[in-house]
Amino acid sequence: MRMERRLLTGWGRTAPTLATVARPRTAEEAALLLRQAGERGAIARGLGRSYGDAAQSAGGIVIDCADLAPGFRLDPAAATVTAAAGTSLAELMRALLPRGYFVPVTPGTRNVTVGGAIGADIHGKNHHADSSFGAHVRSLRIVTPGGGLRTVGPDRDPDLFWATVGGMGLTGVITEATFGVVPVSTARMRVDTDRTPDLDATLDLMSTTDHRYRHTVCWVDLLARGASLGRGVLTRAHHAEVADLPRSARRDPLRYAPAGRAAAPPWAPPHLLNRWSVRAFNAAYYAKAPRARRGEIQGAASFFHPLDAVAGWNRLYGPRGLVQYQFVVPFGEEDALRRIVGRLAAEGAASFLAVLKRFGAATPAPLSFPMPGWTLALDLPAELPGLARLLNALDEQVLGAGGRIYLAKDSRAAADAVHAMYPRLAEWHAVRTRADPAGVLTSDLSRRLML
Amino acid sequence: MRNAVGAVHTVLLLGGRSEIGAAIVRRLVRDGARSVVLAARDPENSLALRSTVRALREAGATEVAAIGFDAADPASHAATVAEAVARVGDLDVVVDAFGVLGDQAGYDADPVAAAESVTVNMTGHVSAGLAVAARLREQGHGTLVVLSSTAGARVRRANFVYGAAKAGLDGFAQGLGDSLAGSGARVLIVRPGYVRTQMSAGVDPAPFPATARQVADAVAEGLRVGASVVWVPRKLRYLFAGLRVLPRAVWRRLPR
């Protein structure tokens, strides 16, 4: 088993801490690591795409799941895949799409693992139609410090299963999962694009048309002020049928070739992304978007994962990194959403990746983030003066509206705020204590938020 | 844990009676710290300490403990750190703020008192700093804030015993910070000029004086951006870049 001492951060590159990184190859080796972990504890890590401190454990052991018996198998009759926890969605898409299947849920990057997808209960552009990743999991294998290796599912120890979905790795180390996949006839998307002039128009168009599309998402310009506040570019799509494709592409409709990756420079100066550069980018992006375009055919990679085309884009935020803020407020709390968007615009908080989305049904998981309502995700430079106060104020608005923030994105919230946002925390904690009576599973996130 | 915007949860103040130290901790509590340990000589009988405890509770700290700490007894320092850990767990920030000023004329007349002041101002920080560093290494994160002084940036005739101890402390803190590179732990050196406090009440203010609150704000900003040195006020950095290269014959003729 490979081991090394290494500084780790999340994708936001803030708050590095030192841990012993171990790469077990089998569930037995993972169980051994949990038994040997000292009082500093242990936590699993996948591809490190959580923005904050979810997959690091200062002074402890970080179990890198990349070598956990890599590989997966497709069961075409049941339309399910059984994959090792360290398998990335990128690998799955590469192998599954040519065979006519798509992953049930993908976030804005395909560089996440199956284990991480379950631990964070990730969502994608199809949440309003298909819920989150956990809703598609039929069973999973997990090593817990208290009970060793076991198999759980919605019908088999459902308490532990749902505590693990969205449980941020704090119930055990997931080693393998079986989940449903979606049959598709092409590797392309049929996309409708609309430009909206302001926030009300954005909300209105999304509310009235979301149900007609499988995948929808809206990019929002948070630096446009006044009458243009909350203007956006809404994209809605279905998996394309063969007949939708241009004639030349019909011969090989399942051909999937994600664009080669450009790389961000290894170092960018502080303050590169500031309110002026981002405002210019946003204005150009908005101006370039079509007012209304129907039926455009796009590759799955460019539709779902535009940022994956630039490796290490997080480095553009400079040496001090970025903070991502994502919250959800229930339907009916549109005023809270408007207040938050207004506040961000008034502060000139430079976010060039603000994404608005409507969530559908939640899973039964007590720590899962999505709930029916509006979710907004934005990136901000960590060096922004006054950021701590701004985001604490937003937390209060979110909490007051009965909403919550996403733990996989969080790197700065206060423990009491998060506890109030997740009222089922005690219920979750009881299951965690059963799975891990000695409290071995520890991440910087769990220390910071006292989970 | 330190979060992405520099706020922390736990703070240990070594030198619980220090006015500057108390101002720093108060600021950290305002920014989100909740558990504080104040380590001071004879904690039960200090009015200053009691008022600091009260102020911290009012500022939002949920747990404030006062424990004994003798800067002049290096053998006890590891135990002090262990006791703080027993109270609050991981030490997110340790503020190393103890010290005595004294006056040069007094030290000239009493070499033993001079040596004792150096024991507190320099030697005590070596044992305490190393004990803290060992804990920070073990936990894989944390910041040690060391209160150095411009008095040590270039030692002046007017207070060379104090200045020499601060120069030694500053060098120690720089070396300790370098030795912690890659450990997840770090050292933040704070170099204030003249700060108006009770300790400095008998000294004439030097140019560019600061308040304890300004020092606290500078520390909070240093923690937020991950700085390794902060000068208070900031312009002293540029002033001292000049003063450090002033010819000796000129330097020793400066009025203070």
Side-chain angles (χ1 to χ4, degrees):
Chain A
M1 200 170 4
R2 280 166 54 192
M3 294 226 201
E4 57 172 337
R5 301 267 288 165
R6 198 144 56 90
L7 281 175
L8 295 172
T9 69
W11 191 241
R13 303 173 74 226
T14 52
T17 61
L18 189 77
T20 302
V21 181
R23 292 177 69 148
R25 281 155 306 195
T26 61
E28 288 69 33
E29 285 185 345
L32 184 69
L33 284 167
L34 290 182
R35 278 199 300 278
Q36 287 173 346
E39 61 173 29
R40 301 297 304 172
I43 193 75
R45 182 179 175 99
L47 286 166
R49 252 51 174 200
S50 281
Y51 281 76
D53 45 11
Q56 61 199 61
S57 185
I61 293 175
V62 168
I63 300 174
D64 180 338
C65 295
D67 291 346
L68 263 181
F72 61 92
R73 54 186 186 278
L74 170 70
D75 177 349
T80 60
V81 159
T82 299
T87 315
S88 72
L89 296 195
E91 283 171 74
L92 285 171
M93 283 178 65
R94 241 183 350 257
L96 291 177
L97 262 173
R99 299 169 71 177
Y101 293 94
F102 199 75
V103 291
V105 168
T106 174
T109 171
R110 56 187 174 271
N111 297 313
V112 299
T113 63
V114 168
I118 297 168
D121 196 16
I122 60 165
H123 56 270
K125 296 178 178 183
N126 59 340
H127 190 280
H128 64 288
D130 297 327
S131 192
S132 51
F133 198 91
H136 303 269
V137 179
R138 309 288 164 80
S139 70
L140 59 85
R141 283 165 74 71
I142 184 171
V143 183
T144 65
L149 181 64
R150 42 215 292 211
T151 304
V152 298
D155 48 5
R156 196 161 160 191
D157 197 348
D159 285 347
L160 180 56
F161 174 76
W162 290 116
T164 300
V165 170
M168 303 309 289
L170 295 168
T171 55
V173 178
I174 300 166
T175 59
E176 189 183 273
T178 300
F179 49 91
V181 289
V182 180
V184 292
S185 28
T186 76
R188 315 279 190 103
M189 308 301 294
R190 195 182 72 237
V191 185
D192 290 352
T193 304
D194 286 85
R195 223 162 66 169
T196 58
D198 57 40
L199 187 61
D200 283 336
T202 305
L203 300 184
D204 189 53
L205 186 60
M206 291 178 81
S207 303
T208 50
T209 64
D210 241 11
H211 62 279
R212 301 211 302 263
Y213 296 86
R214 185 116 189 220
H215 301 274
T216 68
V217 76
C218 188
W219 169 87
V220 188
D221 183 356
L222 285 183
L223 283 173
R225 283 178 293 196
S228 301
L229 175 64
R231 68 182 178 182
V233 178
L234 175 62
T235 48
R236 298 161 296 172
H238 288 287
H239 293 283
E241 298 301 323
V242 177
D244 297 329
L245 302 187
R247 199 167 296 277
S248 58
R250 287 185 200 163
R251 184 175 306 176
D252 188 8
L254 289 167
R255 193 178 118 82
Y256 169 66
R261 282 158 61 109
W267 184 86
H271 313 296
L272 176 68
L273 298 178
N274 55 57
R275 74 178 68 167
W276 295 279
S277 63
V278 172
R279 183 171 286 148
F281 170 87
N282 283 5
Y285 185 86
Y286 184 81
K288 188 175 146 282
R291 204 169 300 275
R293 181 170 58 198
R294 295 288 171 267
E296 185 199 6
I297 300 299
Q298 281 185 16
S302 70
F303 177 75
F304 287 105
H305 312 124
L307 279 173
D308 282 351
V310 184
W313 63 263
N314 55 342
R315 291 195 298 262
L316 293 175
Y317 278 88
R320 284 170 203 147
L322 77 142
V323 169
Q324 164 124 167
Y325 189 71
Q326 181 170 3
F327 66 89
V328 57
V329 292
F331 292 127
E333 294 289 346
E334 287 74 12
D335 281 344
L337 180 64
R338 285 190 191 94
R339 275 197 304 275
I340 292 172
V341 168
R343 173 92 192 247
L344 285 162
E347 301 248 354
S351 178
F352 84 128
L353 286 170
V355 171
L356 183 66
K357 159 99 207 126
R358 293 173 86 249
F359 276 154
T363 61
L367 277 201
S368 174
F369 165 65
M371 62 159 88
W374 296 96
T375 183
L376 181 68
L378 48 121
D379 290 346
L380 293 165
E383 65 199 345
L384 198 69
L387 184 61
R389 197 170 322 138
L390 171 65
L391 295 182
N392 286 339
L394 298 193
D395 281 349
E396 277 177 35
Q397 302 253 9
V398 169
L399 185 56
R404 54 197 180 215
I405 59 166
Y406 189 9
L407 297 183
K409 305 269 178 94
D410 179 54
S411 58
R412 35 63 49 192
D416 46 2
V418 168
H419 290 200
M421 290 170 182
Y422 285 90
R424 293 173 67 199
L425 190 65
E427 175 194 332
W428 173 81
H429 207 271
V431 184
R432 158 156 154 80
T433 308
R434 172 161 67 85
D436 179 18
V440 171
L441 295 159
T442 310
S443 62
D444 288 357
L445 177 93
S446 78
R447 282 199 185 95
R448 181 169 57 81
L449 296 179
M450 298 175 198
L451 296 177
Chain B
M1 302 301 309
R2 177 186 179 278
N3 73 13
V5 290
V8 296
H9 186 77
T10 65
V11 184
L12 164 63
L13 172 59
L14 295 172
R17 299 165 182 237
S18 156
E19 222 174 305
I20 298 176
I24 294 171
V25 177
R26 207 154 53 232
R27 169 68 206 249
L28 297 180
V29 167
R30 275 221 318 278
D31 288 352
R34 288 295 167 263
S35 300
V36 177
V37 178
L38 305 171
R41 181 168 32 89
D42 200 6
E44 290 80 21
N45 297 314
S46 167
L47 282 174
L49 201 63
R50 222 171 292 164
S51 88
T52 302
V53 170
R54 207 165 39 238
L56 292 175
R57 290 227 169 90
E58 277 163 17
T62 50
E63 186 183 359
V64 186
I67 63 174
F69 171 63
D70 182 356
D73 180 15
S76 68
H77 290 174
T80 304
V81 172
E83 189 179 350
V85 171
R87 300 270 181 139
V88 296
D90 280 12
L91 304 175
D92 298 345
V93 169
V94 179
V95 183
D96 197 0
F98 56 91
V100 291
L101 186 55
D103 84 301
Q104 187 57 43
Y107 290 148
D108 288 341
D110 187 350
V112 173
E116 282 169 0
S117 81
V118 174
T119 302
V120 171
N121 288 346
M122 163 77 203
T123 315
H125 288 276
V126 171
S127 46
L130 289 173
V132 168
R135 171 63 201 183
L136 300 190
R137 256 182 223 286
E138 188 189 330
Q139 64 187 33
H141 73 103
T143 305
L144 173 62
V145 178
V146 176
L147 276 177
S148 176
S149 167
T150 54
R154 187 168 183 186
V155 179
R156 301 194 315 272
R157 192 184 66 171
N159 68 349
F160 66 83
V161 171
Y162 179 76
K166 284 294 188 186
L169 169 58
D170 200 286
F172 167 75
Q174 290 176 47
L176 185 63
D178 288 341
S179 84
L180 286 172
S183 72
R186 48 188 303 137
V187 172
L188 170 60
I189 301 174
V190 188
R191 294 187 189 135
Y194 178 85
V195 183
R196 287 195 189 91
T197 61
Q198 282 181 5
M199 183 170 102
S200 68
V203 183
D204 291 336
F208 309 119
T211 61
R213 175 137 186 203
Q214 285 168 326
V215 178
D217 291 345
V219 168
E221 180 64 10
L223 288 173
R224 188 177 80 82
V225 302
S228 53
V229 178
V230 293
W231 299 73
V232 197
R234 195 182 299 189
K235 56 189 144 202
L236 287 179
R237 174 181 169 191
Y238 306 101
L239 178 65
F240 269 84
L243 291 181
R244 272 175 167 155
V245 294
L246 210 60
R248 187 91 176 267
V250 180
W251 178 250
R252 73 166 162 262
R253 284 185 175 81
L254 289 185
R256 42 170 292 120

